[in-house]
Amino acid sequence: MAACGRRRGVAGMRERVPLNTTDCYIVREIYNGENAQEQFEYELEQALETQYKYIIIEPTRIGDETARWITVGNCLHKTSVIAGSVCLLTPIALGSEYTRYVALPVGAISVACAALYGISWQFDPCCKYQVEYDTCKLSRLPLNTLTSSTPVVLVRKDDIYRKRLHNTIALAALMYCVKKICEICAV
């Protein structure tokens, strides 16, 4: 096993760095009886809870489901951040008479997405992982030993900053919306 590493000296040349085998877990597609899917799911859960740096999922069905689950979580996160930012920047960009028509709905969307993410994804061990597409990073992994031609590769990433970001923006959007609603009701 060798991989692309940091660039050293010569342009275009990369240092080969071996991957530590304790950093990678492979959920193998081996059918041993009628409960194979449940066994694959159990193996994936154990790998997620063990917090391996890389998890390679050979079974197509579970790999696709996991990738979709991560994609939905990423979409909720990004929607929360973008909608909250639009809510907070709308008063600067638009006149005060149109602000509430844009800021309040997108602020509500930001808060709803952050709340849904917090309820459904925050404590799921899968939210700590992202699907890896970078071919240089993938070349470090033992993909040549797999039986599947299209495995899903998960990489563990620290998500504390992104959670703080979307929670902070959603909270600011919520506070802005509450302030605006109070102003509207007071008139």
Side-chain angles (χ1 to χ4, degrees):
M1 291 184 287
C4 298
R6 293 184 178 157
R7 290 188 181 257
R8 301 230 182 207
V10 181
M13 297 295 292
R14 293 189 178 207
E15 175 188 353
R16 298 260 183 211
V17 180
L19 176 69
N20 187 350
T21 56
T22 60
D23 289 344
C24 183
Y25 184 82
I26 301 173
V27 178
R28 300 239 179 238
E29 190 169 26
I30 300 172
Y31 292 92
N32 292 339
E34 58 192 52
N35 296 330
Q37 283 301 119
E38 292 173 10
Q39 179 62 32
F40 299 152
E41 290 172 8
Y42 177 75
E43 279 186 52
L44 178 59
E45 279 295 320
Q46 292 301 310
L48 291 169
E49 289 175 10
T50 306
Q51 300 179 358
Y52 284 96
K53 174 79 174 150
Y54 297 97
I55 299 174
I56 302 170
I57 307 170
E58 278 189 337
T60 306
R61 182 174 150 216
I62 293 176
D64 290 345
E65 287 174 5
T66 304
R68 275 193 301 273
W69 182 253
I70 291 170
T71 301
V72 170
N74 289 343
C75 181
L76 284 173
H77 161 73
K78 289 175 185 173
T79 303
S80 176
V81 170
I82 291 170
S85 298
V86 169
C87 172
L88 297 172
L89 295 175
T90 297
I92 297 168
L94 295 177
S96 61
E97 66 183 71
Y98 299 112
T99 299
R100 66 179 169 190
Y101 298 116
V102 176
L104 292 178
V106 294
I109 290 170
S110 175
V111 171
C113 287
L116 185 59
Y117 185 92
I119 292 167
S120 299
W121 275 266
Q122 187 168 354
F123 301 109
D124 187 337
C126 209
C127 80
K128 301 279 187 194
Y129 288 87
Q130 294 295 317
V131 178
E132 185 63 68
Y133 296 106
D134 185 1
T135 55
C136 185
K137 291 179 182 175
L138 290 174
S139 69
R140 296 180 58 202
L141 301 173
L143 299 178
N144 57 348
T145 64
L146 302 179
T147 58
S148 172
S149 61
T150 57
V152 173
V153 178
L154 305 179
V155 61
R156 184 173 172 78
K157 298 201 175 175
D158 185 17
D159 66 337
I160 191 157
Y161 298 112
R162 81 183 226 158
K163 283 183 184 176
R164 284 182 185 165
L165 174 70
H166 85 245
N167 286 333
T168 302
I169 290 176
L171 184 61
L174 175 65
M175 292 180 350
Y176 176 79
C177 289
V178 167
K179 177 184 170 257
K180 276 295 176 191
I181 289 171
C182 288
E183 287 175 4
I184 291 169
C185 292
V187 172

